[in-house]
């Protein structure tokens, strides 16, 4: 059971990472806002979100880490719905709309 769970979690993380790499490019800025507190990151050359020298493989892990640091406990998060990306032509936009493009 434990092996199955860890395989499932690894599989989810890999799918999130693959989606992240196909939607965003190096240098794109990402942010997550929770209770008026923002955490920002940038997509590196390998497709990871890097924030304060920590690399994240998905928007959800990035957002979950942010919430955990503020609240002190894990909170389920959908990073695609809760995060934003910086569109150089306009301003911050939902990452969910970017994924749909």
């Amino acid at each position: 059971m434990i092996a199955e769970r860890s395989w499932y979690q690894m599989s989810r993380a890999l799918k999130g990472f693959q989606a992240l790499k196909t939607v965003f490019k190096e240098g794109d800025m990402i942010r997550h806002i929770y209770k008026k507190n923002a955490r920002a990151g940038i997509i590196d050359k390998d497709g990871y979100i890097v924030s304060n020298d920590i690399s994240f493989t998905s928007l959800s892990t990035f957002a979950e880490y942010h919430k955990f640091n503020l609240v002190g406990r894990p909170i389920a998060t959908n990073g695609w719905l809760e995060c934003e990306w910086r569109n150089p032509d306009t301003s911050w936009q939902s990452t969910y709309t970017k994924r749909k493009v």
Side-chain angles (χ1 to χ4, degrees):
M1 183 78 157
I2 292 173
E4 290 176 19
R5 180 175 293 158
S6 60
W7 177 86
Y8 173 73
Q9 290 170 340
M10 288 173 48
S11 173
R12 272 189 69 208
L14 181 60
K15 286 179 182 176
F17 180 60
Q18 289 171 337
L20 194 65
K21 286 177 66 174
T22 58
V23 174
F24 299 102
K25 65 183 184 313
E26 181 181 356
D28 280 348
M29 294 181 65
I30 305 291
R31 78 173 176 187
H32 178 258
I33 299 174
Y34 184 70
K35 294 188 175 184
K36 298 184 181 180
N37 186 295
R39 181 178 191 101
I42 191 164
I43 304 292
D44 72 0
K45 63 180 175 60
D46 298 317
Y48 294 97
I49 301 170
V50 179
S51 176
N52 295 342
D53 296 325
I54 301 172
S55 295
F56 300 93
T57 57
S58 74
L59 291 167
S60 292
T61 55
F62 174 66
E64 286 170 2
Y65 183 81
H66 180 221
K67 285 182 177 180
F68 183 81
N69 281 321
L70 294 173
V71 180
R73 63 182 172 82
I75 299 174
T77 304
N78 182 331
W80 286 101
L81 293 176
E82 296 184 24
C83 291
E84 300 174 320
W85 72 286
R86 176 82 176 163
N87 183 338
D89 297 331
T90 57
S91 59
W92 291 99
Q93 296 181 339
S94 170
T95 50
Y96 184 74
T97 58
K98 172 84 169 161
R99 188 175 188 179
K100 292 285 193 179
V101 174

